[in-house]
C-alpha cells in the first residue's frame, strides 16, 4: 500500500488510531481541528501513522503539532509529511513552514535533517 497525506474529513473513522498516537488529546479537540480543516494525517494500510495540525499566520504555514506514531518512527513518514507540507505551502502561495519549538534532542535532530533554521522555520 501507498502512504498518503490528507485532511481529515471524518474524524470518528480514525479516532482509534489518533488516540494511540496522542492519548491525552480530548475528542472535542480532534473534532475542533477537523472542523476547522487543520487536521492532516499520514495513512498507511488504512491506518493513521502520523498527524499534524496546521494554520496560516502571515505568510507561513504554522505547524502546531507534528507527530509520528512511535512504532513507525524512523521509516521516512516524517520526511514524507514534510514534503507534503511543502506542497500545501506552495499551493497556498506561502513563503515557508514554521514548526513547533522543541528541546527534545530527537526532534531537534529531525529538524536539522530537514534544514530548519534556529527559529524552526523552513523558507521556500
Amino acid at each position: 500500500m501507498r502512504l498518503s497525506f490528507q485532511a481529515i474529513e471524518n474524524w470518528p473513522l480514525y479516532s482509534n488510531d489518533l488516540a494511540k498516537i496522542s492519548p491525552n488529546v480530548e475528542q472535542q479537540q480532534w473534532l475542533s481541528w477537523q472542523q476547522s480543516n487543520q487536521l492532516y494525517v499520514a495513512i498507511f494500510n488504512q491506518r493513521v501513522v502520523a498527524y499534524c495540525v496546521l494554520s496560516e499566520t502571515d505568510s507561513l504555514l504554522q505547524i502546531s503539532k507534528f507527530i509520528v506514531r512511535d512504532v513507525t518512527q524512523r521509516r521516512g513518514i516524517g520526511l514524507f509529511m514534510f514534503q507534503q507540507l511543502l506542497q500545501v505551502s506552495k499551493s497556498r502561495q506561502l513563503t515557508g513552514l514554521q514548526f513547533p519549538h522543541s528541546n527534545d534532542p530527537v526532534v531537534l535532530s529531525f529538524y536539522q535533517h530537514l534544514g530548519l533554521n534556529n527559529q524552526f522555520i523552513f523558507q521556500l
Side-chain angles (χ1 to χ4, degrees):
M1 295 295 303
R2 262 186 108 204
L3 187 59
S4 66
F5 182 77
Q6 64 193 45
I8 287 278
E9 295 176 6
N10 184 3
W11 171 79
L13 181 64
Y14 300 107
S15 61
N16 287 335
D17 290 343
L18 290 166
K20 288 177 185 174
I21 298 170
S22 292
N24 296 329
V25 175
E26 298 290 327
Q27 288 186 6
Q28 189 59 36
Q29 183 63 67
W30 292 116
L31 187 58
S32 174
W33 287 332
Q34 179 219 311
Q35 290 174 340
S36 60
N37 201 31
Q38 294 180 299
L39 182 60
Y40 283 73
V41 294
I43 297 176
F44 182 73
N45 286 340
Q46 300 175 344
R47 304 304 299 257
V48 173
V49 293
Y51 76 92
C52 58
V53 178
L54 313 176
S55 61
E56 286 184 35
T57 58
D58 300 323
S59 61
L60 295 174
L61 185 64
Q62 183 155 8
I63 301 151
S64 57
K65 298 212 178 273
F66 187 96
I67 302 175
V68 177
R69 187 169 177 199
D70 56 352
V71 297
T72 59
Q73 290 178 358
R74 303 196 55 83
R75 295 184 182 173
I77 293 167
L79 181 58
F80 171 78
M81 282 187 20
F82 173 72
Q83 292 166 339
Q84 298 302 305
L85 291 170
L86 288 175
Q87 299 273 346
V88 170
S89 296
K90 288 177 184 175
S91 71
R92 296 182 185 182
Q93 298 179 335
L94 301 172
T95 62
L97 304 170
Q98 183 169 11
F99 281 79
H101 289 262
S102 178
N103 292 322
D104 183 335
V106 174
V107 173
L108 293 174
S109 176
F110 176 68
Y111 286 174
Q112 183 179 19
H113 177 71
L114 297 178
L116 296 176
N117 65 24
N118 291 338
Q119 277 80 45
F120 303 98
I121 295 174
F122 185 88
Q123 296 292 334
L124 298 179

